[in-house]
């Protein structure tokens, strides 16, 4: 090594030391703002003053584009949705999950957003079930069995947080294959893998395991938290899933929540099936019986299977003794909107709203003013294509994501009946 190389290396080391000293000299609040880069959320207005960026309008425009693309795809191909889903969520808790490129760490970010995903999943899919699998120390471990209780899954995941060892994708696929290949033909078998590592330490040929999953009709999707991996991409291509790499925490949350709505059904599952279901009665308050789920005595909790009279804790589930699918009528009603989704509203500009003949410039749903606060100028809104009523941006998102019914269209259906009752 010559003198110039030594000087160059010494210079680089001195620069790194100066940066470390600089970071240590900052206060905690200064380091927080430096990491979050909050100044990027500001923009300059016409007068040259700084103002915060309207993230609400940006989020709504992104949401509308996604909604319109999904509706256009569904309308063009008449896609059938999978309403009864059996999903295994595989969480990589190897030592790579301890990396701090996601603040405070990948493991903490995964845990926070998986909790939100589980709640959103059961809200969108009331007849479906989830099972959790973790990868740690080169071994795949089943954390929870397939079930419909979000609280049980979240509690089990929060109790097992901790990263160690290598990751083994093959062991995880073998475990979820053994769990899902027994699912009846009407159930849609899905695997969602949250992968942090850049490698996989497998005991055998993973390509054989991928073909086994493909033969069992498992749809495997992967969300990576590091760089793209060929084996993950090959797995998703073979099984019909999707593979995406998260750029930051916000992008990871968006990618994860995209798996909550029912995906298009595979051709093998698109045939009509008759499913036997039971509607159990709630157990009496003072009754004592052994729960078939936890194998322990409980007082006045749970439901009674109409076929074998066994006690279960929560719905939906399958009876452990007779195998009957147990649901409640609200679960079926909440799944109905996936069969007939509400059409996207048309975006109305401020100029169009001002020229419209609507007397009250208020949202038909929440009755809030559509005018910008502090001015008499109209703000952006959306209009239903059928009833022609105007809605604010928040109600537009709420109607399509949670309510799944247009208040304007529903009021038109109710009004004639109410009028006839009043006249009689």
């Amino acid at each position: 090594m010559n003198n110039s190389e030594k000087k160059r290396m010494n210079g680089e080391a001195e620069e790194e030391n100066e940066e470390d000293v600089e970071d240590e000299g900052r206060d905690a609040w200064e380091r927080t703002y430096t990491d979050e880069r909050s100044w990027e959320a500001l923009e300059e207005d016409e007068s040259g003053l700084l103002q915060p960026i309207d993230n609400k309008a940006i989020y709504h425009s992104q949401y509308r584009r996604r909604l319109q693309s999904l509706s256009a795809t569904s309308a063009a191909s008449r896609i059938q949705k999978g309403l009864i889903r059996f999903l295994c969520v595989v969480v990589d808790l190897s030592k790579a999950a301890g990396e701090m490129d996601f603040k405070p760490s990948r493991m903490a970010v995964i845990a926070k957003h998986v909790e939100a995903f589980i709640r959103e999943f059961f809200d969108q899919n009331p007849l479906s079930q989830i099972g959790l699998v973790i990868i740690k120390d080169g071994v795949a471990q089943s954390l929870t069995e397939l079930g419909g209780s979000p609280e049980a899954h979240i509690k089990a995941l929060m109790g097992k947080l901790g990263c160690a060892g290598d990751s083994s994708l093959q062991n995880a696929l073998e475990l979820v294959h053994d769990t899902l290949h027994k699912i009846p033909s009407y159930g849609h078998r899905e695997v969602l893998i949250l992968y942090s590592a850049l490698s996989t330490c497998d005991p055998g040929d993973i390509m054989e395991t991928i073909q086994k999953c493909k033969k069992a009709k498992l749809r495997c999707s992967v969300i990576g938290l590091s760089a793209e991996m060929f084996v993950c991409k090959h797995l998703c291509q073979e099984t019909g899933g999707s593979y995406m790499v998260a750029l930051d925490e916000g992008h990871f949350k968006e990618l994860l929540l995209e798996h909550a709505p029912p995906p298009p059904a595979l051709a093998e599952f698109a045939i009509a099936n008759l499913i036997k279901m039971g509607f159990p009665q709630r157990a009496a308050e003072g009754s004592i019986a052994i729960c078939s789920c936890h194998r322990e005595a409980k007082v006045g909790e749970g439901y009674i299977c109409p076929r074998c009279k066994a006690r279960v804790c929560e719905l939906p589930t399958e009876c452990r003794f007779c195998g009957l699918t147990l649901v409640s009528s609200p679960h079926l009603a909440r799944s109905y909107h996936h069969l007939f989704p509400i059409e996207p509203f048309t975006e109305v500009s401020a100029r169009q709203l001002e020229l419209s003949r609507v007397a009250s410039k208020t949202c038909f749903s929440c009755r809030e003013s559509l005018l910008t606060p502090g001015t008499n100028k109209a703000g952006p809104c959306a209009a239903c294509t059928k009833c022609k009523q105007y809605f604010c941006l928040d109600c537009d998102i709420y109607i399509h994501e949670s309510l799944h019914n247009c208040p304007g269209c529903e009021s038109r259906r109710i009004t004639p009946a109410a009028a006839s009752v009043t006249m009689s």
Side-chain angles (χ1 to χ4, degrees):
M1 184 182 294
N2 54 30
N3 293 332
S4 62
E5 290 179 353
K6 289 181 179 180
K7 290 179 180 179
R8 180 175 56 82
M9 294 180 64
N10 291 334
E12 291 177 356
E14 288 176 2
E15 288 179 3
E16 291 177 358
N17 292 334
E18 287 177 3
E19 290 177 359
D20 294 340
V21 171
E22 233 176 80
D23 288 338
E24 291 176 0
R26 291 195 186 102
D27 293 331
W29 65 271
E30 290 179 310
R31 291 196 298 270
T32 302
Y33 280 110
T34 302
D35 294 337
E36 294 180 355
R37 305 179 67 86
S38 57
W39 55 85
E40 294 182 354
L42 299 175
E43 65 179 357
E44 188 176 352
D45 60 6
E46 297 176 355
S47 60
L49 300 176
L50 293 178
Q51 63 178 6
I53 297 176
D54 189 4
N55 293 322
K56 179 180 176 181
I58 296 174
Y59 170 74
H60 185 265
S61 62
Q62 294 174 348
Y63 163 76
R64 289 199 60 80
R65 285 196 299 269
R66 185 170 68 251
L67 182 66
Q68 289 173 357
S69 63
L70 290 175
S71 62
T73 305
S74 300
S77 55
R78 300 294 180 187
I79 293 176
Q80 179 179 340
K81 300 285 188 177
L83 298 183
I84 302 180
R85 306 167 61 188
F86 294 87
L87 174 66
C88 280
V89 180
V90 181
V91 182
D92 178 12
L93 293 181
S94 62
K95 60 184 179 182
E99 296 290 335
M100 293 187 293
D101 49 353
F102 288 72
K103 302 296 181 182
S105 68
R106 293 180 184 176
M107 181 182 64
V109 170
I110 290 174
K112 180 176 71 173
H113 293 299
V114 165
E115 178 181 357
F117 168 76
I118 291 175
R119 299 187 189 280
E120 180 68 17
F121 177 87
F122 285 113
D123 183 64
Q124 297 277 347
N125 309 268
L127 299 179
S128 302
Q129 298 183 25
I130 279 184
L132 293 181
V133 175
I134 60 173
I135 309 175
K136 186 184 294 187
D137 292 323
V139 179
Q141 175 186 353
S142 179
L143 200 58
T144 59
E145 297 182 359
L146 291 171
S149 173
E151 301 300 332
H153 296 306
I154 294 171
K155 183 179 178 181
L157 178 62
M158 296 305 172
K160 286 289 186 178
L161 290 180
C163 47
D166 297 324
S167 180
S168 177
L169 186 60
Q170 184 184 13
N171 287 336
L173 292 176
E174 291 284 353
L175 181 58
V176 297
H177 175 269
D178 294 341
T179 303
L180 294 178
H181 85 281
K182 305 173 185 176
I183 298 300
S185 59
Y186 60 80
H188 296 260
R189 308 161 187 172
E190 301 176 39
V191 182
L192 177 58
I193 304 173
L194 309 179
Y195 207 70
S196 298
L198 277 172
S199 61
T200 172
C201 185
D202 301 324
D205 188 359
I206 191 173
M207 296 302 173
E208 295 181 0
T209 305
I210 292 175
Q211 293 303 316
K212 186 192 299 185
C213 293
K214 180 181 179 181
K215 186 178 180 181
K217 304 296 187 298
L218 269 63
R219 175 183 290 171
C220 302
S221 300
V222 180
I223 299 178
L225 281 84
S226 52
E228 182 178 293
M229 292 178 59
F230 169 77
V231 66
C232 295
K233 187 174 183 179
H234 179 70
L235 168 66
C236 298
Q237 289 176 345
E238 289 292 313
T239 58
S242 62
Y243 179 41
M244 300 294 290
V245 177
L247 303 177
D248 50 30
E249 182 177 352
H251 189 217
F252 173 74
K253 178 183 177 182
E254 182 180 346
L255 293 176
L256 188 59
L257 292 180
E258 284 180 359
H259 293 272
L266 297 175
E268 292 81 0
F269 296 101
I271 58 176
N273 288 294
L274 294 178
I275 306 171
K276 288 185 178 181
M277 291 187 176
F279 297 87
Q281 295 181 347
R282 193 171 183 85
E285 294 184 1
S287 62
I288 302 175
I290 297 177
C291 170
S292 61
C293 308
H294 302 89
R295 296 180 178 84
E296 59 184 22
K298 292 189 177 182
V299 181
E301 294 183 5
Y303 303 85
I304 300 175
C305 175
R307 178 186 287 176
C308 65
K309 308 303 179 184
R311 181 77 67 92
V312 295
C313 289
E314 295 180 347
L315 301 177
T317 186
E318 289 186 1
C319 180
R320 298 297 181 91
F321 294 101
C322 63
L324 182 65
T325 302
L326 303 178
V327 298
S328 64
S329 54
H331 291 147
L332 291 179
R334 285 166 53 195
S335 300
Y336 181 79
H337 68 264
H338 291 302
L339 301 177
F340 303 97
I342 184 173
E343 295 182 4
F345 293 164
T346 58
E347 194 164 359
V348 180
S349 64
R351 181 62 178 170
Q352 291 174 333
L353 183 61
E354 290 175 357
L355 295 176
S356 65
R357 297 181 180 180
V358 180
S360 60
K361 300 291 192 299
T362 58
C363 173
F364 184 81
S365 178
C366 64
R367 312 307 298 175
E368 290 290 334
S369 176
L370 296 175
L371 303 178
T372 306
T375 64
N376 291 326
K377 295 182 179 180
C381 62
C384 177
T385 56
K386 295 182 179 179
C387 64
K388 308 301 181 183
Q389 298 292 347
Y390 291 92
F391 300 92
C392 64
L393 304 184
D394 291 335
C395 288
D396 178 22
I397 297 176
Y398 174 72
I399 289 170
H400 285 89
E401 288 193 346
S402 301
L403 193 59
H404 303 292
N405 288 290
C406 174
C409 298
E410 294 298 322
S411 63
R412 291 173 61 183
R413 296 173 186 172
I414 297 173
T415 302
S420 63
V421 172
T422 305
M423 292 175 64
S424 62

